Amino acid sequence: MKMLDKRYSVPSRNYFSRTALPAMYYKTRTTVETELKDVQHFATTTDLWSSRTMEPYMSLTVHFITSDFTMKSRCLQTAFFPVDHTGDEIAVGLMESLQSWSLDPKRMVCITTDSGSNIIKASDINNWTRLQCFGHRLHLAIENSMKDERISRAMGVCKKIVSCFSHSWKRKRELAQAQKDLNLPDHKLKTECQTRWGSRLAMVNRVLEQQEAITRVLARNTDRNKFARGNILTWQDIQVLEVIDKTLTPLAEFTDALSGEQYVSVSSVKPVLHLFESLMAVKEDDPALARSIKTTILQYLQEKYSDPKTQALLDIATSLDPRFKLDYVSEDNKTTVKTRLKDEMTSIVTMESLSLTPTTASSSATPPPGGKKRKTLGSFFKVGKGNEAAAPEVEQVVDMELGAYLLSRNIDSEDDPLKWWNNNKGQYPRLSMLARKYLCITATSSPSERAFSTGGNIVTCQRSSLKPQNVDMLVFLAKNLSAVDGLC
């Protein structure tokens, strides 16, 4: 800056932390608040996180669909949460968060969380509909299927192999040379993350891919290499790893596909569970270990998703997706789903009629110049007859709209349901409002976890002394500034 203009004084650190950052935060917050005022229904995700300095935070992300059927997500906060993480405290904290943003909890359709007992209790205390995170459920299902001595042995050797190559530049060099000699891909070994089953599968897949190169490196000078003598993969270990890779690879992409927040995901949970039944079906040529893994995963998911409230929510969301409608709703529940849709559509018609009532009522409530006019006996019968005539008319309109929607042809499974609803909202005005209400729910709590990933990139070792309020503002701006830039 001195080369450009010696007269210019570079703003100090205090200017950015005390003036520029708060000003940018409140400007963006005002834009988000204005955007949320027009939201009729919304869903949320939440999670808890600890920074590098072990300071606890609680995130809250809101999801909604606009009038032109655009899916939007806004990270509202990554708030400092120093109290005990009990269900009661979390319930109070979440309620205060919604109130700070002037969001009516009655308009919240659902909250998606992990399976923590404190989060579950908080949702029950606030009487909120809760959807279990599909990613966490699938992770726990696979973890349960891995409880086998043979798998534990093979996975333990895999971890040691990856660790030994990660901490030795000589072995890395030798592995690269072995890959070149054997015409294997020039890939590095992958490390497992305990909270992500997909990382374990990626580790297994990479070890199997580089098995020959790994064996060549570890087999050299075994007398001097204490590690190699007892930790080279045996043929039994390789068989176990191949079974794991073959069995779990078809499931690898489902978690990522359902973790998005810019497209509809909740309506795909039931179709995915139905697809799992075919992918995890036991075949005659499956080895005993593969049969055990498949059976355990299916039983766990069926048990956890058998909750009536969860099934009712997923049935409604799936039925409002023009790709699926009632295809994945059981025959016993189809009548119940139709009845619930009709009831909610009828309530929408009732609200529309009530919104027109005040004008009529105010005009009729004004007495004529000559004084108050006495009602005649016939006027009472006229009002009653009008209400009786209106009820069948509303029911007929609702039946026709729902029937026309269900009889229409399903769109392709790769088409965007929100685009379809935007093009057909005039033909199905009440159902389109229900679609905006339920399809904004996310199938996983990944949006809140992404906020913590952003927080981890902000609260680094070099910035570990950031104040909690600055962390909240920085994460908020990192997640929302580009999204609302066009609205500012």
Side-chain angles (χ1 to χ4, degrees), residues 228-266:
R229 281 196 295 238
N231 294 283
I232 294 179
L233 289 169
T234 64
W235 64 269
Q236 294 95 334
D237 295 330
I238 294 174
Q239 281 189 341
V240 170
L241 295 180
E242 288 176 345
V243 168
I244 294 174
D245 183 61
K246 182 179 179 181
T247 305
L248 299 184
T249 296
L251 308 182
E253 297 181 357
F254 284 102
T255 301
D256 293 338
L258 289 175
S259 298
E261 51 187 298
Q262 301 300 326
Y263 53 84
V264 176
S265 59
V266 65

Side-chain angles (χ1 to χ4, degrees), residues 29 33 60 76-77 93-103:
R29 181 187 173 100
E33 287 178 337
L60 181 66
L76 299 186
Q77 67 172 35
L94 290 174
M95 189 65 74
E96 290 178 350
S97 299
L98 292 179
Q99 292 173 353
S100 68
W101 284 89
S102 301
L103 290 173

Side-chain angles (χ1 to χ4, degrees), residues 261-281:
E261 51 187 298
Q262 301 300 326
Y263 53 84
V264 176
S265 59
V266 65
S267 58
S268 298
V269 173
K270 291 205 74 171
V272 166
L273 291 174
H274 184 269
L275 185 58
F276 275 12
E277 294 181 2
S278 60
L279 292 176
M280 294 289 101

Side-chain angles (χ1 to χ4, degrees), residues 73-91:
S73 298
R74 297 288 179 261
C75 177
L76 299 186
Q77 67 172 35
T78 307
F80 186 52
F81 199 67
V83 298
D84 292 339
H85 294 175
T86 62
D88 296 318
E89 295 290 352
I90 294 175

Side-chain angles (χ1 to χ4, degrees), residues 109-354:
V109 186
C110 179
I111 182 170
T112 305
T113 71
D114 59 19
S115 303
S117 58
N118 51 357
I119 290 287
I120 295 175
K121 183 179 179 181
S123 302
D124 293 338
I125 291 174
N126 289 334
N127 198 25
W128 292 343
T129 301
R130 188 188 74 89
L131 179 65
Q132 50 195 307
C133 172
F134 182 84
H136 284 89
R137 282 303 181 197
L138 182 58
H139 175 79
L140 293 176
I142 293 175
E143 284 293 308
N144 286 339
S145 69
M146 296 288 106
K147 295 178 180 179
D148 187 283
E149 293 183 359
R150 294 166 294 177
I151 295 178
S152 299
R153 148 76 192 181
M155 296 303 301
V157 175
C158 270
K159 293 177 184 178
K160 291 180 180 180
I161 289 175
V162 173
S163 176
C164 107
F165 279 94
S166 299
H167 295 88
S168 173
W169 65 269
K170 288 185 178 180
R171 289 199 184 100
K172 285 185 178 180
R173 182 187 63 187
E174 293 175 357
L175 179 64
Q177 183 60 44
Q179 290 172 342
K180 185 177 180 181
D181 295 340
L182 297 170
N183 293 323
L184 293 174
D186 183 16
H187 293 160
K188 296 181 179 179
L189 301 183
K190 294 186 176 181
T191 306
E192 174 198 16
C193 175
Q194 293 184 351
T195 58
R196 296 290 181 269
W197 73 269
S199 64
R200 175 180 297 180
L201 179 63
M203 179 184 69
V204 170
N205 182 271
R206 185 57 53 84
V207 168
L208 290 175
E209 177 192 85
Q210 301 295 332
Q211 172 195 341
E212 292 184 44
I214 292 171
T215 303
R216 173 176 291 193
V217 173
L218 296 182
R220 294 172 181 171
N221 301 323
T222 55
D223 292 337
R224 290 177 295 174
N225 189 349
K226 296 181 180 180
F227 172 85
R229 281 196 295 238
N231 294 283
I232 294 179
L233 289 169
T234 64
W235 64 269
Q236 294 95 334
D237 295 330
I238 294 174
Q239 281 189 341
V240 170
L241 295 180
E242 288 176 345
V243 168
I244 294 174
D245 183 61
K246 182 179 179 181
T247 305
L248 299 184
T249 296
L251 308 182
E253 297 181 357
F254 284 102
T255 301
D256 293 338
L258 289 175
S259 298
E261 51 187 298
Q262 301 300 326
Y263 53 84
V264 176
S265 59
V266 65
S267 58
S268 298
V269 173
K270 291 205 74 171
V272 166
L273 291 174
H274 184 269
L275 185 58
F276 275 12
E277 294 181 2
S278 60
L279 292 176
M280 294 289 101
V282 176
K283 300 178 182 178
E284 294 182 0
D285 58 343
D286 283 341
L289 183 59
R291 291 169 180 262
S292 175
I293 293 175
K294 291 180 177 181
T295 303
T296 303
I297 292 176
L298 275 182
Q299 288 179 349
Y300 182 89
L301 291 176
Q302 290 172 354
E303 177 186 352
K304 296 304 180 181
Y305 280 95
S306 61
D307 178 64
K309 292 183 179 179
T310 301
Q311 283 292 319
L313 177 65
L314 294 178
D315 283 342
I316 290 294
T318 306
S319 64
L320 290 169
D321 192 321
R323 298 173 297 177
F324 311 121
K325 297 179 183 176
L326 299 179
D327 292 349
Y328 295 94
V329 179
S330 63
E331 292 295 332
D332 297 336
N333 294 335
K334 285 185 178 180
T335 303
T336 304
V337 172
K338 291 179 181 179
T339 302
R340 181 175 173 180
L341 288 174
K342 289 180 181 179
D343 291 342
E344 295 207 32
M345 293 169 67
T346 303
S347 65
I348 292 175
V349 176
T350 304
M351 293 298 295
E352 290 176 348
S353 62
L354 289 176

Side-chain angles (χ1 to χ4, degrees), residues 28 31-32 35 64 70-75 261-262 476-488:
T28 307
T31 305
V32 174
E35 192 178 22
F64 57 95
T70 302
M71 189 83 164
K72 292 190 176 183
S73 298
R74 297 288 179 261
C75 177
E261 51 187 298
Q262 301 300 326
F476 177 84
L477 290 172
K479 299 296 291 183
N480 297 315
L481 188 59
S482 60
V484 303
D485 186 50
L487 301 175
C488 294

